[in-house]
Amino acid sequence: MRQRVRKGILVYSALMFPMTFLLLSPFIIVLSAAEGVLNGSAMIFGLFLMFSVVGSRLFCGWLCPGGAVQDYISAANNRHWNSKWKNRSKYVIWVVWFSFIVFLWIHNRPIKGDFLHFMGINKFYLIIYVIVMSIIYLFTLVTGRRGMCHSLCWMAPFMVIGESIADFLHIPRFRLKANPDVCVSCGKCSRICPMGLNVADMVKSGSVDSTECINCLECVDGCPKKAIGFGICQKR
Ligand code: SF4
Ligand code: SF4
């Protein structure tokens, strides 16, 4: 039932993406920063960071329209796309992108806030939308399960930073809990994980803590032995 609700929310989020697209745009932030404006997408990414201090990456697993689109595409390519270097590339892209934005903000100070800056739907919007959707589609088709989330996503680093702040300050946050004693190593959790994580190995190690985990709870609901739970707690 829980997974039906999650997938229903993701479908709705994907359907609404043409309306919410500019609120999640890494490009509009740059255009706005070049004019000395802190726009709506910059504010929303800041909110994501704050939310993830307690909520970890629940947004990615339950609400992200880009993630939802990738889940559909995985019907065409269900290969796992998860390794250290594949996961690191998004941080390299993020550092370059975010450093450039900070440079523009400093260069164009004083910055003024305008939530709806560049939010109009026009020809320019349609071109950007088609380009971004094509990138999501083609990249995930080539790479596999949530390839964009692993390697390109500009939002994930904000949430990983939020998680790291929580762990550093010992703030309890949403996380999975493993019970290795009841695990029978059937491997089902690893097979159904939309991020292609080796969940079974993590359960055996006693900790299902991964910055790549999107808190979708597929493994929790799919485990026949109820070896994975979840809750809000501090890092052990
Ligand atoms: S699905 Fe459950 S029992 Fe099977 S490997 Fe994963 S945690 Fe262990
Ligand atoms: S480890 Fe579990 S909660 Fe995390 S992404 Fe994989 S299936 Fe979802």
Side-chain angles (χ1 to χ4, degrees):
M1 177 65 186
R2 183 162 47 206
Q3 289 305 317
R4 274 197 205 160
V5 171
R6 184 181 76 86
K7 285 170 186 169
I9 294 170
L10 284 174
V11 168
Y12 184 73
S13 178
L15 289 174
M16 289 293 111
F17 199 23
M19 296 291 122
T20 56
F21 171 68
L22 290 180
L23 294 173
L24 304 173
S25 169
F27 185 54
I28 300 297
I29 292 185
V30 175
L31 292 183
S32 302
E35 295 185 359
V37 174
L38 186 103
N39 75 326
S41 34
M43 295 177 199
I44 287 192
F45 289 170
L47 284 176
F48 283 162
L49 194 153
M50 285 191 270
F51 171 75
S52 60
V53 171
V54 176
S56 301
R57 293 187 63 180
L58 282 166
F59 170 82
C60 309
W62 287 74
L63 201 55
C64 178
V69 171
Q70 289 178 79
D71 287 344
Y72 303 143
I73 300 167
S74 69
N77 180 0
N78 204 17
R79 192 171 58 154
H80 288 202
W81 180 263
N82 173 42
S83 74
K84 249 184 199 164
W85 72 265
K86 287 171 187 162
N87 297 338
R88 272 188 192 149
S89 61
K90 66 177 170 292
Y91 297 108
V92 175
I93 295 166
W94 186 87
V95 166
V96 173
W97 167 71
F98 195 65
S99 305
F100 186 52
I101 292 168
V102 171
F103 164 78
L104 289 173
W105 281 336
I106 294 170
H107 185 70
N108 295 306
R109 65 186 186 280
I111 298 292
K112 65 175 188 325
D114 180 359
F115 191 83
L116 294 177
H117 199 69
F118 275 123
M119 292 287 172
I121 294 184
N122 50 31
K123 239 192 281 178
F124 173 69
Y125 166 89
L126 289 175
I127 292 168
I128 303 279
Y129 184 78
V130 169
I131 291 173
V132 171
M133 289 306 285
S134 302
I135 291 172
I136 294 176
Y137 175 77
L138 291 173
F139 192 82
T140 310
L141 194 63
V142 171
T143 55
R145 287 187 201 190
R146 291 223 178 196
M148 275 272 308
C149 301
H150 281 293
S151 300
L152 284 188
C153 182
W154 52 92
M155 296 188 282
F158 286 108
M159 284 171 265
V160 174
I161 290 170
E163 290 181 331
S164 305
I165 291 171
D167 292 348
F168 182 72
L169 298 175
H170 303 289
I171 298 170
R173 69 172 171 85
F174 188 92
R175 61 176 85 238
L176 302 183
K177 298 172 185 172
N179 183 355
D181 296 339
V182 296
C183 172
V184 291
S185 300
C186 66
K188 187 179 176 196
C189 49
S190 302
R191 287 195 297 279
I192 59 177
C193 174
M195 291 295 279
L197 306 181
N198 193 339
V199 191
D201 271 8
M202 289 195 282
V203 170
K204 278 290 173 199
S205 76
S207 166
V208 199
D209 249 352
S210 166
T211 51
E212 296 301 309
C213 172
I214 55 170
N215 306 125
C216 65
L217 305 184
E218 280 272 10
C219 56
V220 175
D221 295 327
C223 174
K225 296 293 175 187
K226 304 286 172 231
I228 312 170
F230 64 91
I232 294 185
C233 50
Q234 283 184 4
K235 189 179 172 70
R236 279 191 293 160

